Amino acid sequence: MPDLIGDRAAVAEANARFYQAFEALDLAAMDAVWSHDEDVKCVHPGWPLLTGWGAVRESWQAIFANTEEMRFTISDVRVVAGADLGWVTCTENILSDVRGRVTVTAILATNLFARDADGWRMIHHHASHVLAAGEVAEA
Amino acid sequence: MPDLIGDRAAVAEANARFYQAFEALDLAAMDAVWSHDEDVKCVHPGWPLLTGWGAVRESWQAIFANTEEMRFTISDVRVVAGADLGWVTCTENILSDVRGRVTVTAILATNLFARDADGWRMIHHHASHVLAAGEVAEA
């Protein structure tokens, strides 16, 4: 499997742009990060699967509208780039303030990117909570 | 992005073999489904990220050892095949019997496969619970 350093860096940059758009609550930046294909998919923590850019964009719009401020650090970033698909796993360490309630949460994310003429665009985001010890359900 | 019907069918078959191995609690079949690379990853629902075939294999061994019977149906299967990476989203509707306790659970899964000389091998499994309405956390 090809895994060129240049492609891996480009996928890592696309992943970083996604989190910059997320932290800035910037829908126009999300428009630029994501593919607008009808097959793109998104799973927010605990949400059902969303399919198609229209549904995915609406979900970000709703999240941004209900979030006053979003701050996080991204850790454990692992990037693999193939010929036309790239994938990233990372941990989102989120400090959020939703209507005055501040929470810190660790979220595991799998992010997929497809290469198009302009570079790498996000095609799938799957994020889920890590449960504390004792809460863990089996697969 | 290439998305040949033959490749998509082959990725779908690899995905089906994964669930057959899972339902059969068959570690040898899991050995055949997965890549044995040190970079493979796995997120069981609520678990932290596991990295490397050794850790991933141990997790299946532990799950199988603690599960008497596993029955499920897989729905909403969506498959995309690229040149060297393929990805699947699906819903696992799991009926499980863990030490006498029967539960039905809907799990969302993102499964990634890489093409090698012998075909498509699983390189990442990210599974997470869908929360009921009212439990949903924002991203």
Side-chain angles (χ1 to χ4, degrees):
Chain A
M1 176 170 63
D3 191 347
L4 304 173
I5 290 170
D7 285 335
R8 198 158 53 203
V11 172
E13 281 168 21
N15 192 62
R17 283 196 298 273
F18 166 69
Y19 286 110
Q20 287 159 7
F22 192 173
E23 191 166 32
L25 308 174
D26 183 340
L27 199 60
M30 277 290 178
D31 285 340
V33 164
W34 280 80
S35 162
H36 296 189
D37 198 89
E38 64 183 13
D39 283 335
V40 302
K41 295 180 182 66
C42 184
V43 183
H44 299 295
W47 290 37
L49 178 73
L50 304 174
T51 300
W53 172 238
V56 172
R57 187 179 195 276
E58 277 178 23
S59 74
W60 289 113
Q61 197 165 27
I63 289 167
F64 291 175
N66 284 289
T67 307
E68 289 174 22
E69 189 181 13
M70 178 67 72
R71 290 288 175 269
F72 49 70
T73 57
I74 302 300
S75 59
D76 311 314
V77 181
R78 296 291 178 272
V79 180
V80 179
D84 48 22
L85 289 173
W87 64 287
V88 178
T89 56
C90 58
T91 303
E92 307 169 356
N93 308 284
I94 299 186
L95 175 68
S96 58
D97 179 346
V98 180
R99 299 189 200 91
R101 190 170 62 96
V102 175
T103 55
V104 182
T105 314
I107 301 279
L108 270 173
T110 297
N111 298 324
L112 302 188
F113 299 85
R115 190 205 298 269
D116 72 10
D118 299 323
W120 293 91
R121 297 292 179 92
M122 185 169 247
I123 54 172
H124 182 45
H125 170 64
H126 185 161
S128 64
H129 288 282
V130 180
L131 302 182
E135 293 182 284
V136 168
E138 69 84 42
Chain B
M1 176 170 58
D3 192 346
L4 304 172
I5 291 170
D7 285 336
R8 199 158 51 204
V11 172
E13 281 168 20
N15 193 63
R17 282 196 298 274
F18 167 68
Y19 286 110
Q20 287 158 8
F22 193 171
E23 192 165 31
L25 308 174
D26 183 339
L27 199 60
M30 279 290 179
D31 285 339
V33 164
W34 280 80
S35 162
H36 296 189
D37 199 89
E38 65 184 12
D39 284 334
V40 302
K41 294 179 183 66
C42 184
V43 183
H44 299 294
W47 290 38
L49 179 73
L50 304 174
T51 300
W53 172 238
V56 173
R57 187 180 196 274
E58 276 177 23
S59 74
W60 290 113
Q61 195 165 29
I63 289 167
F64 292 173
N66 285 290
T67 307
E68 288 174 22
E69 190 181 13
M70 179 66 71
R71 291 287 175 267
F72 48 69
T73 57
I74 303 301
S75 57
D76 311 315
V77 180
R78 296 290 177 274
V79 180
V80 178
D84 47 23
L85 289 172
W87 63 288
V88 178
T89 55
C90 57
T91 303
E92 308 169 355
N93 308 285
I94 298 186
L95 175 70
S96 59
D97 179 347
V98 179
R99 299 190 201 91
R101 191 170 63 95
V102 175
T103 56
V104 182
T105 314
I107 302 278
L108 271 173
T110 297
N111 298 323
L112 302 188
F113 299 86
R115 190 205 297 270
D116 72 11
D118 299 322
W120 293 91
R121 296 292 178 94
M122 185 168 247
I123 54 172
H124 183 43
H125 170 65
H126 185 161
S128 64
H129 289 281
V130 181
L131 300 182
E135 294 182 283
V136 168
E138 71 84 44

